[in-house]
Structure formats: C-alpha cells, structure tokens
Amino acid sequence: MTVKTQRAYNFNAGPSALPISVLEKAQAELIDFRGTGMSVMELSHRSSTYEEVHNQAINSLKELLSIPDQYEVLFLQGGASLQFSMIPMNFLKPGKKAGYVMTGSWSEKAFAEAKLFGDVYQAASAKDGNYRNIPTVSELKFHPEDAYLHLTSNNTIYGTQWADFPDTGDVPLVADMSSDILSRPIDVSKFALIYAGAQKNLGPSGVTVVIIRKDFLEQANTNIPTMLKYSTHAKNNSLYNTPPTFGIYMLGEVLNWVREFGGLSAIAEQNENKANLIYHTIETSNGFYIGHAAPDSHSLMNITFNLKSKELEKKFLEQAKQEGFVGVNGHRSIGGCRVSAYNAVPFETCKAFSEFMGVFQKKNS
C-alpha cells in the first residue's frame, strides 16, 4: 500500500529544500542507475558511467552561470569552512596582505582562519550596526597590492545580501557564495575565486563547488599538503580521490531542474516574488514584525525578523511549527525568526507563510 506523504513547509537554512522532481528521480534511480544494476552510490568513481555524471554536472554549471573558459570548476569536500583555510594557504604569501569585508558570522569565521596563515585586515565592517547592512563600495578600503579581497555574498544569519559586487581592478576578488549561488545571474568574470557549499541551492550537503580563474590558480603556493592544493584537484578533474559521488549526481539533477525552470533569470524572478511577499508583510505590520536587515541590503534568500516582544515571538514560533512550517527559528547565536526561501522553496510555501503571519497578527494585536 502506498502512503501519501505530506511535504513540510521547509524553511531550513541548510541543508535546505530540494526540488520534489529531483527527489523523485533520485528515488526512481536509486536501486538501478541507467541499467547498471547498481545505485549511483555504488558505482566506481573511475567508471565511464559515473564520469559522465561528473562531467555533465560541471558542464551544466558552466552553462547556467556563463562561466568563461579561463575558469576551472572543482568539486571538493569539507564545506565552505575548509575553504576559509584553503584560500589563505594557497594565496596569502609572505609579504602580502588580504582584505576581508565583515558582514556577519561567516565572514568573521573566514577572517579568523585566515589570521592563522598570514597578514589579514578588515577592509570594511558592518558589525557596529549589528550587521544590518552591506558596506557601500566607497566604504571598502583595500590596497592595490593585496593578495585578494574576500567577501560573503549573502549572510544567512543576519539576512543581508550584496546587490552588486565591487570592481576591484587588479586585486583578485574572492567570494563565499554558499547561500545564494545559482539564485540569480552573476558576472563570474569579476571574481578570481568563488566557493559555495551545495546545501542551500545546489544540492545536498557534502559537496563544495569552487570556481577558480586559471591565472589565479597558477599563483598558488606549492609548499602545502597535496589535498589542500587547488591545483591537485584541477589537474585531476576533481577525481584525485573519491569524490562525494551521490552529492554530485544530485547537484547535476538540481542544475537540470534549474535549466527546465527557465534558467537563472526565471529563478531570480521567482526568488524576488517569494521574498517580497514576506518583506511586504513585515513592512506593513505597523511594527508588529520588525525586520533586521536595512531595506537596501535585504537578502532574497534569508529573511530575518523579530516580533515586538520575546513572549509573542515564542508563541509565534510555536504556532508556526504547529502549522507545519519548519526551520523558522533564527540562528541559535542571535535568536529571532528567519525564513530561508532558497530556490527549491515553492512560491506557494512563502504565500502560505505570509498568510499565517497576517492571521497571527490579527489574533495577537
């Protein structure tokens, strides 16, 4: 007997919602992948069947993001957190400095790791304003001889996002795009290196995507462990060791879903519509809901807010859970409420939550 499962209203910040069609395809192929009699998880990563999956995922990402030929696409492990160390290990050489733009907890973590390897400084910071905004381009203070400038494109905990990226000239621009990659079109050519954990918009946890310009790669240090060299993975098509094969397979299927959805322009339009529903409810609540991020820094991925009292906030979160909304609690470090409306979160889910917010306000005003 088949039991129909009620899908949750999933606002988890990561791992996050995946497209239902991708999950259904993975389910159908789980036991016998393309007539092999094996799951994709059981295939050798050296087999031609898996290699096709691997290369198709790389090519799909290049196509969707319009990645120029002078870039390598790598599939690594260790999450964005390992990249916090790998980047300075590879590119922060003696006598050089690197600037970090501080926009939240993840940029703080990246900065702290980089300090272990070399000379780093804060090129700008929004900390004094409790990370309510993204620094303006005029606030960025970096040096033409810097090894690189690092920023975090979207801040999951505080709900802020870069609307546009700075032109850094000859200074290599490095970006952690873990929480908004593939959510909108971007100009990859502005960046020397982009990295992103997959578990927000790209697929399940366990895969980290790195997009790195070849001439920047050639400047990397060589006296570091083999597995921590980007060149190791570039030379071996990310197959130097056993990669997270199932995660890469799922990533490839998510990329196919994005293509079928209409590409990044269509995804971006829906993401704006979803976020605007929630922001409109907050902004027209006459102070019942209090948004954290400044309007010019609003994230389309993570919408953060509080209620006018802690007691009311607790009641709101309890009732949201009862109504089937999952992951609405703010990050444990700051509390409050957070709606993470990543690509695979349907418009209808955001609409249902907006309506719930309206009903809750009427009952509790």
Side-chain angles (χ1 to χ4, degrees):
M1 181 178 70
T2 302
V3 178
K4 185 173 178 60
T5 302
Q6 176 65 41
R7 293 282 290 167
Y9 293 128
N10 187 355
F11 289 124
N12 278 326
S16 57
L18 287 164
I20 185 66
S21 61
V22 171
L23 293 171
E24 289 171 343
K25 184 174 183 184
Q27 181 184 48
E29 295 182 331
L30 187 63
I31 304 299
D32 183 6
F33 181 69
R34 298 183 184 177
T36 61
M38 295 177 285
S39 168
V40 70
M41 290 184 283
E42 300 174 289
L43 294 175
S44 167
H45 65 292
R46 305 296 181 191
S47 67
S48 59
T49 305
Y50 173 72
E51 188 175 16
E52 184 179 349
V53 170
H54 190 94
N55 290 334
Q56 184 57 55
I58 291 172
N59 291 334
S60 293
L61 192 61
K62 287 181 176 179
E63 176 192 331
L64 286 166
L65 284 174
S66 301
I67 299 173
D69 291 339
Q70 62 265 35
Y71 286 78
E72 297 277 5
V73 173
L74 310 178
F75 295 143
L76 307 182
Q77 299 176 62
S81 294
L82 182 57
Q83 295 302 304
F84 298 162
S85 299
M86 277 185 71
I87 289 163
M89 287 177 75
N90 278 265
F91 300 110
L92 188 52
K93 297 181 178 181
K96 286 281 192 177
K97 295 183 179 182
Y100 279 70
V101 184
M102 312 305 288
T103 52
S105 298
W106 299 112
S107 55
E108 287 182 356
K109 290 177 185 291
F111 182 70
E113 289 296 297
K115 284 171 68 176
L116 300 174
F117 298 98
D119 193 353
V120 295
Y121 66 94
Q122 296 186 14
S125 178
K127 188 171 185 177
D128 286 347
N130 197 22
Y131 292 131
R132 293 189 67 248
N133 65 286
I134 295 294
T136 63
V137 172
S138 62
E139 291 177 287
L140 298 181
K141 307 300 181 186
F142 58 94
H143 314 121
E145 65 278 7
D146 281 350
Y148 59 85
L149 178 70
H150 179 283
L151 60 81
T152 306
S153 61
N154 183 75
N155 303 284
T156 55
I157 294 175
Y158 294 95
T160 61
Q161 184 178 28
W162 290 78
D164 299 294
F165 298 108
D167 182 355
T168 56
D170 292 333
V171 176
L173 182 60
V174 173
D176 177 358
M177 292 193 181
S178 292
S179 54
D180 67 347
I181 193 170
L182 214 71
S183 68
R184 55 180 174 168
I186 59 169
D187 182 359
V188 173
S189 68
K190 281 192 168 188
F191 301 88
L193 189 153
I194 293 169
Y195 63 99
Q199 66 274 11
K200 318 285 189 178
N201 282 325
L202 290 171
S205 57
V207 185
T208 305
V209 169
V210 172
I211 303 166
I212 184 168
R213 205 173 62 219
K214 293 176 182 178
D215 66 335
F216 187 54
L217 176 61
E218 291 169 359
Q219 300 171 27
N221 292 319
T222 57
N223 58 335
I224 54 178
T226 302
M227 281 294 293
L228 298 176
K229 295 178 183 177
Y230 292 107
S231 59
T232 297
H233 304 287
K235 289 174 183 176
N236 291 278
N237 194 31
S238 301
L239 292 165
Y240 177 79
N241 67 321
T242 307
T245 55
F246 186 73
I248 293 169
Y249 155 74
M250 288 291 287
L251 184 149
E253 292 302 329
V254 170
L255 296 177
N256 289 338
W257 172 80
V258 171
R259 186 186 296 109
E260 292 165 5
F261 194 90
L264 293 191
S265 294
I267 284 284
E269 181 178 359
Q270 171 157 283
N271 285 336
E272 288 182 15
N273 292 337
K274 291 187 302 187
N276 286 341
L277 271 177
I278 312 297
Y279 282 123
H280 179 74
T281 303
I282 294 169
E283 291 162 1
T284 58
S285 70
N286 294 317
F288 187 85
Y289 299 108
I290 305 160
H292 177 78
D296 62 355
S297 298
H298 275 169
S299 169
L300 300 183
M301 298 286 95
N302 309 99
I303 303 151
T304 54
F305 60 96
N306 294 88
L307 277 77
K308 57 185 180 181
S309 73
K310 292 294 182 184
E311 293 74 21
L312 203 55
E313 201 167 273
K314 182 179 179 182
K315 183 178 180 181
F316 175 82
L317 291 170
E318 287 173 350
Q319 291 194 12
K321 186 176 181 180
Q322 291 169 10
E323 293 295 322
F325 298 104
V326 177
V328 181
N329 292 65
H331 191 270
R332 62 187 180 276
S333 64
I334 64 168
C337 307
R338 171 173 60 179
V339 172
S340 296
Y342 298 122
N343 286 357
V345 175
F347 178 85
E348 291 73 21
T349 295
C350 293
K351 186 172 186 292
F353 190 73
S354 173
E355 291 170 353
F356 163 74
M357 292 174 72
V359 170
F360 185 87
Q361 180 179 354
K362 287 180 182 177
K363 289 183 177 179
N364 292 276
S365 293

